[in-house]
C-alpha cells in the first residue's frame, strides 16, 4: 500500500480555466425550465461561480486531511481513504460511493463516524472508516481492463479489507455503493457482519400479482414514481451502459459538458428546486473537479456497461434478489429517485432486519442529511458489535 496525496498541478487548473472561458453555449427553447435538461441560464451562473469563486485548493486540502493510499488489486489501482478511530473497540466500516459521486461524498460523516464523542455521540458507536474510489473512478483511475463489474469490485473490496487486517466489518453505500455493498455481503459472507444501504429499488414482481394486492395508496404511489422514472429518468444510464466510450469524448473535452452531466442528477435525484437547494455547491463542484482532473468520465461509465450491458441485467443488478446471510439495513430518504416498498423489499432481501424512513433527504444522503445517515448506521450496527 502506497501513501497517496492529492497534488494537482497548477497547469491543470489553468487549462480548465481556459476551456471554461472558451465555452460554446447552446441555444435553448424559452420557458421549458428543467424539463429538457439543465437550463442555460442556471448553468452559466454556476459556471461563472466555478470559474471565479470555487477554490479547488481548499477542497484538495480538505481531502488531504485524511490518510490516503493506493494499492493494486486484481491488476488495477484502488485509491482509498483510511481513517482509524482512537476508540479501541471501533468497528471497521467500508463506505462506497456511487455515480456521479466520489469519496468526497463522505467528508461530512467521517468525523461523526470515527469520533462520535467529539460530535455529541457515544464512543461505543465508533468506526474505523475505509472509503475507496471505485476502479475507473477518480483517483483510482481507469482500469485499463474489461470485466470490472460490481461483482469484481466487491471482490476487490474484500481483498482490501483483508489487507487492512479487518476480519469482521460492515459495508455501507448508496447508488453503485448499494449494489457493491450487497455484492460484498455475498462475496465475503464470513467477514461481512452487516450491510447498510441508503438506496433500494423494488420492482413489482412479474410472477406474483398477488404481492401488489395488499399495498396501500402510499406504496402504490411509490411504484408509480418508479415507473415514471424507468420511462423518463434513465437516459443517462442507457447511454453509459451502451456507449460509454462515445460519451467520454464530450465529457473529457468539455468541462461545462461534464458539469451539466453531473449537475442534472443533483437536481433530479434530490427533488430540489435547484441542486444548490440539496447540497452545498462547493461540494457538488468538488465532485465535478475529481471527474475532470482525473479524466474519468468515460472510465466511470464503463461500470454501467460491465454491470448492466444493454440493460439485459438491469433487474438483477439493481433489484436483486440478494440472498445474503448477513443482516441488511435500509435507510429510505423520500426524495431519492427510487422509493422502495418494504413488503417488496422483504422479498428480495431475506435478511432484512432494519428499516428506517425519513422525512427529508434524497439520493446523496451523506451530503444532504449526514446526521440522519450517521444515526441510522449507528442504530443498525449496535446489535452487530
Amino acid at each position: 500500500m502506497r501513501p497517496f496525496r492529492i497534488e494537482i498541478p497548477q497547469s491543470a487548473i489553468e487549462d480548465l480555466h481556459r476551456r471554461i472561458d472558451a465555452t460554446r453555449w447552446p441555444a435553448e427553447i424559452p420557458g421549458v425550465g428543467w424539463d429538457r435538461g439543465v437550463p442555460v441560464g442556471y448553468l452559466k451562473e454556476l459556471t461563472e461561480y466555478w470559474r471565479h469563486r470555487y477554490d479547488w485548493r481548499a477542497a484538495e486540502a480538505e481531502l488531504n486531511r485524511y490518510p490516503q493510499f493506493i494499492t493494486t488489486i486484481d491488476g488495477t489501482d484502488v485509491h482509498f481513504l483510511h481513517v482509524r478511530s482512537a476508540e479501541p473497540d471501533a468497528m471497521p466500516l467500508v463506505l462506497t460511493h456511487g455515480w456521479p459521486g466520489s469519496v468526497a461524498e463522505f467528508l461530512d460523516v467521517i468525523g461523526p463516524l470515527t469520533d462520535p464523542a467529539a460530535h455529541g455521540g457515544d464512543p461505543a458507536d465508533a468506526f474505523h472508516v475505509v472509503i475507496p474510489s471505485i476502479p475507473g473512478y477518480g483517483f483510482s483511475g481507469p482500469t485499463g481492463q474489461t470485466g470490472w463489474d460490481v461483482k469484481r469490485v466487491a471482490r476487490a473490496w474484500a481483498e482490501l479489507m483483508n489487507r487492512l487486517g479487518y476480519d469482521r466489518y460492515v459495508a455501507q453505500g448508496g447508488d453503485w455503493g448499494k449494489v457493491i455493498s450487497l455484492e460484498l455481503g455475498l462475496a465475503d459472507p464470513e467477514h461481512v457482519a452487516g450491510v447498510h444501504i441508503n438506496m433500494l429499488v423494488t420492482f413489482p414482481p412479474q410472477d406474483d400479482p398477488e404481492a401488489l394486492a395488499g399495498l396501500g395508496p402510499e406504496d402504490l404511489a411509490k411504484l408509480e414514481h418508479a415507473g415514471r422514472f424507468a420511462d423518463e429518468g434513465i437516459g443517462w444510464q442507457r447511454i453509459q451502459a451502451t456507449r460509454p466510450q462515445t460519451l467520454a469524448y464530450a465529457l473529457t473535452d468539455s468541462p461545462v459538458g461534464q458539469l451539466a452531466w453531473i449537475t442534472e442528477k443533483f437536481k433530479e435525484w434530490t427533488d430540489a428546486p435547484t441542486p444548490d437547494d440539496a447540497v452545498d455547491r462547493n461540494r457538488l463542484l468538488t465532485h465535478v473537479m475529481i471527474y475532470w482532473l482525473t479524466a474519468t468520465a468515460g472510465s466511470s461509465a464503463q461500470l454501467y456497461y460491465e454491470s448492466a450491458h444493454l440493460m439485459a441485467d438491469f433487474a438483477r443488478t439493481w433489484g436483486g434478489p440478494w440472498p445474503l446471510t448477513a443482516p441488511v439495513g435500509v435507510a429510505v430518504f423520500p426524495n431519492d429517485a427510487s422509493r422502495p416498498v418494504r413488503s417488496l423489499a422483504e422479498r428480495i432481501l431475506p435478511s432484512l432486519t432494519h428499516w428506517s424512513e425519513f422525512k427529508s433527504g434524497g439520493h446523496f444522503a451523506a451530503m444532504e442529511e449526514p446526521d440522519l445517515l450517521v444515526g441510522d448506521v449507528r442504530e443498525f450496527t449496535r446489535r452487530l458489535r
Side-chain angles (χ1 to χ4, degrees), residues 92-94 157-158 161 166-171 184 188 191-194:
L93 173 68
V94 56
W157 276 199
M161 298 303 279
Y166 293 136
D167 184 63
R168 186 171 182 269
Y169 59 92
V170 172
L184 180 54
D188 196 20
H191 302 104
V192 175

Side-chain angles (χ1 to χ4, degrees), residues 110-255:
I110 292 175
L113 288 171
T114 57
D115 189 4
H119 295 81
D122 185 344
D125 288 327
F127 297 92
H128 302 307
V129 173
V130 180
I131 310 175
S133 296
I134 298 172
Y137 285 68
F139 300 106
S140 285
T143 65
Q145 304 172 354
T146 60
W148 274 97
D149 61 2
V150 289
K151 295 178 185 293
R152 190 170 177 181
V153 176
R155 293 194 298 270
W157 276 199
E159 174 60 21
L160 174 62
M161 298 303 279
N162 177 61
R163 291 184 187 184
L164 291 172
Y166 293 136
D167 184 63
R168 186 171 182 269
Y169 59 92
V170 172
Q172 199 287 326
D175 195 85
W176 279 124
K178 162 251 178 176
V179 186
I180 292 166
S181 296
L182 291 170
E183 288 287 357
L184 180 54
L186 294 174
D188 196 20
E190 295 181 356
H191 302 104
V192 175
V195 177
H196 182 278
I197 57 177
N198 57 279
M199 174 193 175
L200 182 65
V201 179
T202 52
F203 295 103
Q206 301 298 317
D207 57 346
D208 187 6
E210 295 298 321
L212 304 180
L215 298 183
E218 185 175 344
D219 285 339
L220 291 174
K222 291 177 180 178
L223 292 180
E224 289 176 6
H225 172 83
R228 289 194 301 272
F229 182 75
D231 288 339
E232 304 173 7
I234 60 172
W236 102 97
Q237 188 179 74
R238 293 188 182 278
I239 293 173
Q240 298 198 156
T242 58
R243 298 295 184 269
Q245 186 61 40
T246 303
L247 177 67
Y249 297 109
L251 302 187
T252 306
D253 187 62
S254 169

